[in-house]
Amino acid sequence: MDIQILQLETTSPDGTELKSYVCLPKDASADKPAPAILVAPEWWGVVEFVQKVTERLARAGFAAVAMDVYGEGKLTTDASQANEWMEQMLANQDQLMARCQAILKDFCDVQGVDSKRLGGIGFCFGGKIVLDMAREGLPLQAVATFHGNLTPKQPAEKGKFAAKVLVAHGEADTMTTMDDVAKFKTEMDQANVEYTVDVYEGAKHGFSNPAADERAAQNDVDLGYDEAAANASWDAMIAFMQNNLANAQ
């Protein structure tokens, strides 16, 4: 196998068992730790797409963990169920952040993970999660989102939000609109955050996920896969993380 794969089991402060998916480069070790990325999934949970993202990150030289924020490894392809679980998390965002912090702590204890070079990427609901982790002042140096929910738990504060940010947004996204992007830019500007927003013309919500068209048909939601946007945004994210994590001293 060209990468290391393991399950990370974390007991959250509220007692929920979190079962996250970890991948590391084959040669990552205590003597050669890899820069690390937390992956926050779409509202579906840690499904195959997110696992593959984590594997791709490991092959690109990063240690990565797909965070099981729902707990017990719960996942679904049903939008109503996903929405129910997401709304439960949004109703108690302090608990959500506590779960993320617990996963972060345990992930940093994994041999081969460089806890001094940390980033986060998030998809849809997961975009909000990693941005909120940065807003909370967690030690992330770089955060990237794909068709992410940009709504803050609380607005970013100058001096507290330390991460650089890359946002990949679909111009035709009806769930997170261009108006939402404008509000996000204002928030980042007011907090003096260094950020880039890449807008992909014609791309819908979920554009990075090859299963988006199938999910849209099954659930009557406005999603769509866009191969060109998916590839371009992935390449931009890898370069962004390499600049801010892999090449950091």
Side-chain angles (χ1 to χ4, degrees), residues 27-63:
D27 61 350
S29 65
D31 294 331
K32 188 183 177 183
I37 296 177
L38 293 98
V39 181
E42 298 169 292
W43 64 352
W44 313 113
V46 184
V47 293
E48 182 181 8
F49 167 68
V50 182
Q51 293 180 11
K52 287 184 176 179
V53 164
T54 309
E55 293 166 8
R56 290 175 72 188
L57 286 169
R59 293 188 178 99
F62 300 94

Short mmCIF file of all heavy atoms in Angstrom, two decimals, residues 27-63:
data_model
loop_
_atom_site.label_atom_id
_atom_site.label_comp_id
_atom_site.label_asym_id
_atom_site.label_seq_id
_atom_site.Cartn_x
_atom_site.Cartn_y
_atom_site.Cartn_z
N ASP A 27 5.80 7.18 4.07
CA ASP A 27 7.05 7.38 4.80
C ASP A 27 6.91 8.30 6.01
O ASP A 27 7.90 8.65 6.65
CB ASP A 27 8.14 7.91 3.87
CG ASP A 27 7.78 9.26 3.25
OD1 ASP A 27 6.61 9.69 3.40
OD2 ASP A 27 8.66 9.87 2.62
N ALA A 28 5.68 8.71 6.34
CA ALA A 28 5.50 9.58 7.51
C ALA A 28 5.85 8.81 8.78
O ALA A 28 5.45 7.66 8.96
CB ALA A 28 4.07 10.09 7.58
N SER A 29 6.58 9.46 9.67
CA SER A 29 7.03 8.80 10.90
C SER A 29 7.31 9.86 11.95
O SER A 29 7.24 11.06 11.68
CB SER A 29 8.30 8.00 10.63
OG SER A 29 9.37 8.87 10.29
N ALA A 30 7.66 9.40 13.14
CA ALA A 30 8.01 10.34 14.21
C ALA A 30 9.22 11.19 13.81
O ALA A 30 9.31 12.37 14.17
CB ALA A 30 8.29 9.58 15.50
N ASP A 31 10.14 10.59 13.06
CA ASP A 31 11.33 11.31 12.62
C ASP A 31 11.07 12.16 11.38
O ASP A 31 11.83 13.09 11.09
CB ASP A 31 12.46 10.32 12.32
CG ASP A 31 12.95 9.60 13.56
OD1 ASP A 31 12.86 10.20 14.65
OD2 ASP A 31 13.40 8.45 13.44
N LYS A 32 10.00 11.82 10.66
CA LYS A 32 9.67 12.56 9.44
C LYS A 32 8.17 12.82 9.40
O LYS A 32 7.44 12.25 8.60
CB LYS A 32 10.10 11.77 8.20
CG LYS A 32 9.97 12.55 6.90
CD LYS A 32 10.35 11.68 5.70
CE LYS A 32 10.15 12.44 4.39
NZ LYS A 32 10.46 11.60 3.20
N PRO A 33 7.68 13.69 10.30
CA PRO A 33 6.24 13.95 10.33
C PRO A 33 5.78 14.77 9.12
O PRO A 33 6.53 15.60 8.60
CB PRO A 33 6.06 14.74 11.63
CG PRO A 33 7.37 15.42 11.84
CD PRO A 33 8.41 14.47 11.32
N ALA A 34 4.56 14.50 8.70
CA ALA A 34 4.00 15.19 7.54
C ALA A 34 3.12 16.35 7.97
O ALA A 34 2.45 16.29 9.01
CB ALA A 34 3.17 14.21 6.71
N PRO A 35 3.11 17.43 7.19
CA PRO A 35 2.15 18.51 7.47
C PRO A 35 0.74 17.92 7.45
O PRO A 35 0.46 16.98 6.70
CB PRO A 35 2.38 19.50 6.33
CG PRO A 35 3.06 18.72 5.25
CD PRO A 35 3.87 17.68 5.95
N ALA A 36 -0.13 18.48 8.28
CA ALA A 36 -1.39 17.81 8.57
C ALA A 36 -2.60 18.64 8.17
O ALA A 36 -2.61 19.86 8.34
CB ALA A 36 -1.46 17.47 10.06
N ILE A 37 -3.63 17.95 7.68
CA ILE A 37 -4.86 18.62 7.24
C ILE A 37 -6.07 17.90 7.83
O ILE A 37 -6.21 16.69 7.70
CB ILE A 37 -4.96 18.64 5.71
CG1 ILE A 37 -3.81 19.47 5.10
CG2 ILE A 37 -6.31 19.19 5.26
CD1 ILE A 37 -3.79 19.48 3.59
N LEU A 38 -6.93 18.67 8.47
CA LEU A 38 -8.22 18.15 8.94
C LEU A 38 -9.24 18.34 7.82
O LEU A 38 -9.32 19.42 7.22
CB LEU A 38 -8.68 18.87 10.20
CG LEU A 38 -7.81 18.63 11.43
CD1 LEU A 38 -6.82 19.78 11.61
CD2 LEU A 38 -8.65 18.47 12.67
N VAL A 39 -9.99 17.29 7.54
CA VAL A 39 -10.98 17.32 6.47
C VAL A 39 -12.38 17.26 7.08
O VAL A 39 -12.73 16.29 7.76
CB VAL A 39 -10.79 16.14 5.50
CG1 VAL A 39 -11.81 16.20 4.37
CG2 VAL A 39 -9.36 16.11 4.95
N ALA A 40 -13.16 18.31 6.86
CA ALA A 40 -14.53 18.35 7.37
C ALA A 40 -15.48 18.02 6.21
O ALA A 40 -15.48 18.72 5.19
CB ALA A 40 -14.85 19.72 7.95
N PRO A 41 -16.26 16.97 6.35
CA PRO A 41 -17.06 16.48 5.22
C PRO A 41 -18.33 17.29 4.96
O PRO A 41 -18.74 18.13 5.76
CB PRO A 41 -17.42 15.06 5.65
CG PRO A 41 -17.43 15.11 7.14
CD PRO A 41 -16.36 16.09 7.53
N GLU A 42 -18.93 16.99 3.82
CA GLU A 42 -20.27 17.48 3.53
C GLU A 42 -21.24 16.90 4.56
O GLU A 42 -20.88 16.04 5.36
CB GLU A 42 -20.69 17.04 2.12
CG GLU A 42 -19.82 17.58 1.01
CD GLU A 42 -20.10 16.90 -0.32
OE1 GLU A 42 -19.79 15.70 -0.46
OE2 GLU A 42 -20.64 17.56 -1.22
N TRP A 43 -22.48 17.33 4.47
CA TRP A 43 -23.47 16.89 5.47
C TRP A 43 -23.77 15.40 5.41
O TRP A 43 -24.44 14.87 6.29
CB TRP A 43 -24.76 17.71 5.35
CG TRP A 43 -25.54 17.59 4.06
CD1 TRP A 43 -25.18 16.94 2.92
CD2 TRP A 43 -26.84 18.14 3.81
NE1 TRP A 43 -26.16 17.06 1.97
CE2 TRP A 43 -27.20 17.79 2.48
CE3 TRP A 43 -27.74 18.89 4.58
CZ2 TRP A 43 -28.41 18.18 1.91
CZ3 TRP A 43 -28.94 19.27 3.99
CH2 TRP A 43 -29.27 18.92 2.68
N TRP A 44 -23.23 14.70 4.44
CA TRP A 44 -23.46 13.25 4.33
C TRP A 44 -22.68 12.46 5.37
O TRP A 44 -22.99 11.30 5.63
CB TRP A 44 -23.06 12.75 2.94
CG TRP A 44 -23.55 13.55 1.78
CD1 TRP A 44 -22.80 14.29 0.91
CD2 TRP A 44 -24.91 13.70 1.32
NE1 TRP A 44 -23.58 14.89 -0.04
CE2 TRP A 44 -24.89 14.55 0.18
CE3 TRP A 44 -26.14 13.21 1.77
CZ2 TRP A 44 -26.04 14.91 -0.51
CZ3 TRP A 44 -27.29 13.57 1.08
CH2 TRP A 44 -27.24 14.41 -0.04
N GLY A 45 -21.64 13.04 5.95
CA GLY A 45 -20.76 12.32 6.86
C GLY A 45 -19.51 11.84 6.12
O GLY A 45 -19.24 12.25 4.98
N VAL A 46 -18.75 10.96 6.76
CA VAL A 46 -17.47 10.51 6.18
C VAL A 46 -17.75 9.39 5.17
O VAL A 46 -17.46 8.21 5.39
CB VAL A 46 -16.49 10.06 7.27
CG1 VAL A 46 -15.13 9.69 6.66
CG2 VAL A 46 -16.28 11.18 8.30
N VAL A 47 -18.33 9.78 4.05
CA VAL A 47 -18.67 8.84 2.98
C VAL A 47 -17.43 8.57 2.11
O VAL A 47 -16.36 9.14 2.34
CB VAL A 47 -19.83 9.38 2.12
CG1 VAL A 47 -21.12 9.45 2.94
CG2 VAL A 47 -19.50 10.76 1.56
N GLU A 48 -17.61 7.73 1.11
CA GLU A 48 -16.47 7.32 0.27
C GLU A 48 -15.75 8.51 -0.36
O GLU A 48 -14.51 8.52 -0.43
CB GLU A 48 -16.96 6.36 -0.82
CG GLU A 48 -15.84 5.84 -1.71
CD GLU A 48 -16.34 4.92 -2.81
OE1 GLU A 48 -17.58 4.80 -2.98
OE2 GLU A 48 -15.50 4.33 -3.52
N PHE A 49 -16.49 9.51 -0.80
CA PHE A 49 -15.86 10.68 -1.42
C PHE A 49 -14.86 11.34 -0.47
O PHE A 49 -13.74 11.67 -0.86
CB PHE A 49 -16.94 11.70 -1.83
CG PHE A 49 -16.39 13.06 -2.18
CD1 PHE A 49 -15.61 13.24 -3.31
CD2 PHE A 49 -16.64 14.16 -1.37
CE1 PHE A 49 -15.10 14.49 -3.64
CE2 PHE A 49 -16.14 15.41 -1.68
CZ PHE A 49 -15.36 15.58 -2.82
N VAL A 50 -15.26 11.51 0.78
CA VAL A 50 -14.38 12.17 1.75
C VAL A 50 -13.19 11.27 2.10
O VAL A 50 -12.07 11.75 2.31
CB VAL A 50 -15.17 12.55 3.02
CG1 VAL A 50 -14.28 13.28 4.01
CG2 VAL A 50 -16.36 13.43 2.65
N GLN A 51 -13.43 9.98 2.16
CA GLN A 51 -12.31 9.06 2.39
C GLN A 51 -11.30 9.16 1.25
O GLN A 51 -10.08 9.18 1.48
CB GLN A 51 -12.83 7.63 2.52
CG GLN A 51 -13.67 7.39 3.76
CD GLN A 51 -14.18 5.96 3.87
OE1 GLN A 51 -13.74 5.08 3.13
NE2 GLN A 51 -15.11 5.74 4.78
N LYS A 52 -11.79 9.25 0.02
CA LYS A 52 -10.89 9.36 -1.13
C LYS A 52 -10.13 10.69 -1.11
O LYS A 52 -8.96 10.75 -1.49
CB LYS A 52 -11.67 9.20 -2.43
CG LYS A 52 -12.11 7.76 -2.69
CD LYS A 52 -12.79 7.62 -4.04
CE LYS A 52 -13.13 6.16 -4.33
NZ LYS A 52 -13.82 5.99 -5.64
N VAL A 53 -10.79 11.75 -0.66
CA VAL A 53 -10.11 13.04 -0.51
C VAL A 53 -8.94 12.90 0.46
O VAL A 53 -7.83 13.38 0.20
CB VAL A 53 -11.10 14.12 0.01
CG1 VAL A 53 -10.35 15.33 0.56
CG2 VAL A 53 -12.05 14.54 -1.11
N THR A 54 -9.20 12.22 1.57
CA THR A 54 -8.17 12.03 2.59
C THR A 54 -7.01 11.20 2.04
O THR A 54 -5.83 11.50 2.29
CB THR A 54 -8.80 11.36 3.82
OG1 THR A 54 -9.96 12.10 4.20
CG2 THR A 54 -7.84 11.34 4.99
N GLU A 55 -7.33 10.19 1.25
CA GLU A 55 -6.29 9.37 0.63
C GLU A 55 -5.48 10.19 -0.38
O GLU A 55 -4.25 10.07 -0.45
CB GLU A 55 -6.94 8.16 -0.06
CG GLU A 55 -7.57 7.18 0.93
CD GLU A 55 -8.50 6.17 0.27
OE1 GLU A 55 -8.55 6.13 -0.98
OE2 GLU A 55 -9.19 5.44 1.00
N ARG A 56 -6.16 11.02 -1.15
CA ARG A 56 -5.45 11.86 -2.13
C ARG A 56 -4.50 12.83 -1.43
O ARG A 56 -3.39 13.09 -1.92
CB ARG A 56 -6.45 12.64 -2.98
CG ARG A 56 -7.25 11.80 -3.95
CD ARG A 56 -8.30 12.65 -4.67
NE ARG A 56 -7.71 13.55 -5.65
CZ ARG A 56 -8.40 14.50 -6.29
NH1 ARG A 56 -9.69 14.68 -6.01
NH2 ARG A 56 -7.80 15.28 -7.18
N LEU A 57 -4.93 13.35 -0.31
CA LEU A 57 -4.06 14.26 0.45
C LEU A 57 -2.80 13.53 0.92
O LEU A 57 -1.69 14.08 0.87
CB LEU A 57 -4.82 14.85 1.63
CG LEU A 57 -5.87 15.92 1.29
CD1 LEU A 57 -6.74 16.22 2.50
CD2 LEU A 57 -5.20 17.20 0.78
N ALA A 58 -2.97 12.30 1.39
CA ALA A 58 -1.81 11.53 1.84
C ALA A 58 -0.85 11.28 0.68
O ALA A 58 0.38 11.36 0.85
CB ALA A 58 -2.27 10.21 2.46
N ARG A 59 -1.39 10.99 -0.48
CA ARG A 59 -0.53 10.76 -1.65
C ARG A 59 0.16 12.04 -2.09
O ARG A 59 1.20 12.00 -2.75
CB ARG A 59 -1.34 10.15 -2.79
CG ARG A 59 -1.84 8.74 -2.49
CD ARG A 59 -2.47 8.05 -3.68
NE ARG A 59 -2.86 6.69 -3.31
CZ ARG A 59 -4.09 6.33 -2.96
NH1 ARG A 59 -5.07 7.24 -2.96
NH2 ARG A 59 -4.35 5.09 -2.61
N ALA A 60 -0.41 13.18 -1.71
CA ALA A 60 0.21 14.48 -2.03
C ALA A 60 1.20 14.92 -0.96
O ALA A 60 1.78 16.01 -1.06
CB ALA A 60 -0.87 15.54 -2.21
N GLY A 61 1.38 14.08 0.08
CA GLY A 61 2.39 14.38 1.09
C GLY A 61 1.87 14.90 2.41
O GLY A 61 2.66 15.31 3.27
N PHE A 62 0.55 14.86 2.61
CA PHE A 62 -0.04 15.37 3.84
C PHE A 62 -0.61 14.24 4.69
O PHE A 62 -1.17 13.28 4.16
CB PHE A 62 -1.17 16.36 3.53
CG PHE A 62 -0.75 17.56 2.74
CD1 PHE A 62 -0.86 17.57 1.35
CD2 PHE A 62 -0.22 18.68 3.37
CE1 PHE A 62 -0.46 18.68 0.61
CE2 PHE A 62 0.18 19.79 2.64
CZ PHE A 62 0.06 19.79 1.25
N ALA A 63 -0.49 14.38 6.01
CA ALA A 63 -1.29 13.55 6.90
C ALA A 63 -2.69 14.17 6.94
O ALA A 63 -2.83 15.39 6.98
CB ALA A 63 -0.68 13.55 8.30
#
